[in-house]
C-alpha cells in the first residue's frame, strides 16, 4: 500500500450486506470478517443486514442504503457465483449508474493466486449508484479477505497514492 502519512485519514460510512439463503447472524463468518476489517481500518459500520438470494429484495435493500446520505459505500458478500440462486450481480444491474470493471478483474487476479482457475466462477463486481460505491464479493471467508485486503483496504483509504476511491466521492454525482 502506498500510504502518504502526510495526508489525513478520512473514515467513511459503510453498510454491509450478506446475501444468503442459509446463513443467519450466527453463521455469517464472512460478514463478521468484513465487519472486523471495516472497523479495524477506522471506518464506520453504519448498517448491516442479511438478505435472501432474491434480486428484487437485494435491490430494495441497496436502494434504501443508496438513498441514505449517511452511507458512502456498501460492501456485500455472497450471491456472486454461477448457480440459479446467485443473483447479486443482477441486483446491482437494477441500481447501478456505472460499473467499475477493474474491480472484478483485479479481484479474480488476486483470487487466482489463492484458488487457481476456480476464480473464473466468481462474478465479483463493483458499481457506482447515485453517488454510492457498491462492492460485491463472493461469500467465502477467503474471498472477502482477498477483496478487502487486496483492494478495498487501499482504495477506501484516503491516504492511498496515487489515487483512491475516497477522493472521488465528492464528484460521483457530477453530471
Amino acid at each position: 500500500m502506498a500510504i502518504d502519512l502526510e495526508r489525513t485519514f478520512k473514515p467513511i460510512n459503510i453498510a454491509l450486506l450478506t446475501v444468503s439463503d442459509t446463513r443467519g447472524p450466527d453463521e455469517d463468518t464472512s460478514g463478521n470478517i468484513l465487519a472486523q476489517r471495516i472497523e479495524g481500518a477506522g471506518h464506520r459500520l453504519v448498517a448491516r443486514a442479511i438478505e435472501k438470494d432474491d434480486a428484487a429484495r437485494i435491490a430494495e435493500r441497496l436502494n434504501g442504503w443508496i438513498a441514505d446520505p449517511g452511507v458512502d459505500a456498501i460492501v456485500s458478500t455472497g450471491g456472486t457465483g454461477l448457480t440459479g440462486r446467485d443473483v447479486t450481480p443482477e441486483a446491482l444491474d437494477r441500481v447501478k449508474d456505472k460499473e467499475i470493471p477493474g474491480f472484478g478483474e483485479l479481484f479474480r487476479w488476486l483470487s487466482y493466486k489463492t484458488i487457481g482457475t476456480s476464480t473464473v466462477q466468481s462474478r465479483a463486481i463493483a458499481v457506482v449508484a447515485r453517488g454510492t460505491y457498491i462492492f460485491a464479493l463472493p461469500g467465502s471467508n477467503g474471498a472477502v479477505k482477498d477483496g478487502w485486503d487486496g483492494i478495498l483496504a487501499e482504495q477506501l483509504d484516503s491516504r492511498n497514492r496515487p489515487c483512491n476511491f475516497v477522493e472521488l466521492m465528492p464528484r460521483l454525482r457530477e453530471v
Side-chain angles (χ1 to χ4, degrees):
M1 195 169 3
I3 295 296
D4 182 345
L5 296 176
E6 293 184 17
R7 296 181 86 184
T8 302
F9 177 78
K10 298 175 186 170
I12 64 169
N13 298 328
I14 300 175
L16 174 57
L17 178 63
T18 297
V19 177
S20 178
D21 284 338
T22 59
R23 292 184 195 171
D26 294 337
E27 300 83 26
D28 186 15
T29 56
S30 59
N32 291 339
I33 290 167
L34 282 170
Q36 291 167 355
R37 279 170 162 70
I38 289 166
E39 292 175 332
H43 300 295
R44 293 177 291 268
L45 182 62
V46 295
R48 185 171 176 183
I50 298 175
E51 288 291 346
K52 299 286 185 198
D53 293 280
D54 177 291
R57 286 177 64 176
I58 297 165
E60 183 178 344
R61 172 74 67 178
L62 294 173
N63 275 320
W65 285 341
I66 293 164
D68 183 342
V71 174
D72 299 312
I74 301 165
V75 180
S76 75
T77 174
T80 62
L82 299 175
T83 72
R85 298 292 299 153
D86 292 319
V87 295
T88 300
E90 288 74 17
L92 268 61
D93 282 344
R94 295 180 183 202
V95 302
K96 75 179 180 187
D97 296 320
K98 293 183 178 183
E99 198 165 321
I100 307 171
F103 178 84
E105 295 163 0
L106 180 55
F107 173 82
R108 283 179 284 280
W109 181 78
L110 292 168
S111 180
Y112 178 76
K113 296 175 181 182
T114 307
I115 64 169
T117 59
S118 295
T119 194
V120 300
Q121 295 181 29
S122 167
R123 296 186 302 144
I125 184 173
V127 302
V128 177
R130 300 187 311 275
T132 302
Y133 290 115
I134 307 173
F135 306 100
L137 297 168
S140 74
N141 292 350
V144 298
K145 290 174 185 174
D146 287 346
W148 182 269
D149 298 346
I151 306 171
L152 294 177
E154 293 182 19
Q155 281 298 298
L156 295 179
D157 189 322
S158 58
R159 303 167 298 171
N160 191 64
R161 293 287 193 171
C163 56
N164 59 76
F165 287 138
V166 177
E167 64 192 5
L168 297 177
M169 286 178 165
R171 299 178 49 214
L172 291 178
R173 289 189 166 96
E174 288 178 348
V175 191

